[in-house]
Amino acid sequence: MAIAWHWFVTYFMISWSIAQANTQENIVFQANYEDLNRGCWEGSFVLNECEERCECRNGELVNCYRVRKDFIKMDILERRRFLDAYKIVSTYPSFRKDYRRVVAYHIMYTPTELLHEGPEIFLPWHRWWLVEFENLLRRVDCRVTIPYWNWSRVANHWWGGFGKEDFWSPGAHGLGGDGTTPNLCVVDGPFSGDKWSLLKIGGGGCLKRNFSYLHLTGDKEHMKSTLALPVEEFLEFEEILREIYHNEIHWYVGGTMFTTEAANAPEVVPHHSFLDKIWLEWQKKGKEYKNVFFYDVPRKFPKTNYYGWQWLDSDNLPDQVKVMYED
Ligand SMILES: *[C@@H]1O[C@H](CO)[C@@H](O)[C@H](O)[C@H]1NC(C)=O
Ligand SMILES: *[C@@H]1O[C@H](CO)[C@@H](O)[C@H](O)[C@H]1NC(C)=O
């Protein structure tokens, strides 16, 4: 009886394991089958499981790009995916140390005179920093990319008030609005003072804003003429991006954005992503545009092993990162 029982148990265990193994195999097989079914036709473009845009070559997905999108054109789910990931990395203990490290590169490790007051590293440094930031967010959800905020389309009313077009929407899919008196704390959206706070290195306390209702210089017309600048006028192009487009948003949003701790403000990320898109568009005018200037800057980004010239080609960034911007 005992022996029969033993055999029964053994038999049962073995057939159960086989059944398990079969199921496992089926899952793998079905995944492959689904991949094929998804239409990996030679030369076609396919989104992989991280929603990177890949090319199908010999049945494999290659040349996968992170696709950064216009915040205003993202649906509510996509916006929330980004904002939720941002909140998770900036608040959960398991991520917060790395969030602090990424923010600290901007606030502490890189002197602002070097970063913002000349052309030496401003553009490629921020391109590197966006990828660092994006890598962190993608640890929460690998589908997340850094959205860009095209403020040029709303240059004369960038502070919002236009419904779905509104970057500063108070809902869970926006960045919240202007700060309020007396302390300029943001009181709506996912980053309101009761829900979120700045890091100690960011000054602590609530996220602050103090909107100046002034028109931005970088409207669509201005942007067109900036993008039309020839390669010989790179320094002019760079200065417009850095000293006008970049600075104006920091000044006009005010509050935390108008301090050296600005990197702790969530809006800094989509702002810089748009500047990066503008630079990339200009670079696409030709090889000489892509490679101008930074090969002659023999200076590493502080506390990293990178030089600016390593961050010129968005089709081929360090660590095999490829970035494209959807219009
Ligand atoms: C910003 O948006 C406007 C309006 O949709 C568009 O014409 C323009 O090309 C965009 N700018 C960039 C640099 O993407
Ligand atoms: C907010 O900005 C305005 C200028 O737009 C300035 O006059 C005011 O002092 C600022 N408020 C605070 C509390 O800093």
Side-chain angles (χ1 to χ4, degrees), residues 73 148 150 152-153 220 223 227 274 277-278 281 327:
K73 292 184 184 165
Y148 65 90
N150 180 345
S152 81
R153 74 158 98 225
K220 282 187 267 182
M223 187 76 66
L227 284 166
F274 187 50
K277 180 183 195 282
I278 298 167
E281 244 167 69
D327 274 325

Side-chain angles (χ1 to χ4, degrees), residues 6-262:
H6 175 79
W7 275 110
F8 172 73
V9 170
T10 308
Y11 172 77
F12 178 78
M13 291 303 290
I14 289 171
S15 31
W16 181 76
S17 316
I18 290 170
Q20 276 298 91
N22 276 342
T23 326
Q24 294 282 331
E25 254 177 44
N26 280 342
I27 290 170
V28 174
F29 174 72
Q30 275 182 5
N32 286 339
Y33 182 72
E34 260 175 30
D35 274 345
L36 291 174
N37 242 8
R38 238 187 269 153
C40 184
W41 301 108
E42 186 67 12
S44 69
F45 293 105
V46 182
L47 293 186
N48 68 11
E49 74 281 6
C50 292
E51 298 194 355
E52 291 168 323
R53 183 177 160 286
C54 310
E55 238 178 289
C56 177
R57 291 271 170 236
N58 301 319
E60 294 200 18
L61 302 185
V62 295
N63 283 333
C64 297
Y65 279 76
R66 300 178 181 188
V67 182
R68 294 188 184 154
K69 298 179 181 173
D70 184 338
F71 188 83
I72 297 305
K73 292 184 184 165
M74 283 157 65
D75 62 32
I76 286 186
L77 218 83
E78 280 180 309
R79 292 187 199 186
R80 287 199 60 164
R81 204 185 277 160
F82 162 71
L83 293 166
D84 288 349
Y86 192 104
K87 280 197 82 167
I88 288 172
V89 300
S90 56
T91 53
Y92 282 32
S94 50
F95 290 103
R96 208 168 139 93
K97 218 177 95 221
D98 287 324
Y99 174 75
R100 184 190 176 283
R101 181 180 56 80
V102 175
V103 170
Y105 275 114
H106 200 292
I107 295 183
M108 296 161 72
Y109 304 154
T110 319
T112 189
E113 304 79 51
L114 171 65
L115 189 51
H116 299 118
E117 290 172 16
E120 257 183 298
I121 64 169
F122 175 76
L123 289 173
W125 189 95
H126 283 95
R127 181 169 283 171
W128 162 75
W129 190 69
L130 289 174
V131 169
E132 283 285 309
F133 218 114
E134 200 166 53
N135 288 345
L136 178 60
L137 298 176
R138 287 161 70 86
R139 279 165 49 194
V140 177
D141 182 336
C142 73
R143 296 170 299 178
V144 172
T145 55
I146 287 187
Y148 65 90
W149 177 37
N150 180 345
W151 34 252
S152 81
R153 74 158 98 225
V154 287
N156 58 1
H157 58 87
W158 61 267
W159 50 86
F162 289 78
K164 228 170 99 37
E165 286 272 293
D166 197 353
F167 181 73
W168 306 104
S169 147
H173 55 281
L175 278 100
D178 197 0
T180 55
T181 47
N183 46 18
L184 302 178
C185 287
V186 171
V187 293
D188 55 9
F191 302 98
S192 59
D194 57 337
K195 297 200 195 90
W196 193 79
S197 53
L198 296 167
L199 296 168
K200 236 185 240 149
I201 58 164
C206 66
L207 174 66
K208 297 182 174 70
R209 292 183 188 135
N210 182 19
F211 286 0
S212 299
Y213 298 86
L214 300 170
H215 294 189
L216 296 170
T217 305
D219 60 16
K220 282 187 267 182
E221 285 309 303
H222 197 277
M223 187 76 66
K224 226 180 248 164
S225 64
T226 303
L227 284 166
L229 286 170
V231 68
E232 297 74 29
E233 286 176 50
F234 168 75
L235 288 175
E236 169 78 9
F237 171 81
E238 198 275 346
E239 195 173 288
I240 292 173
L241 259 60
R242 180 167 45 81
E243 295 207 336
I244 301 179
Y245 298 169
H246 167 259
N247 286 358
E248 275 186 0
I249 290 284
H250 279 280
W251 291 339
Y252 296 176
V253 172
T256 306
M257 278 289 268
F258 192 43
T259 65
T260 45
E261 290 89 39

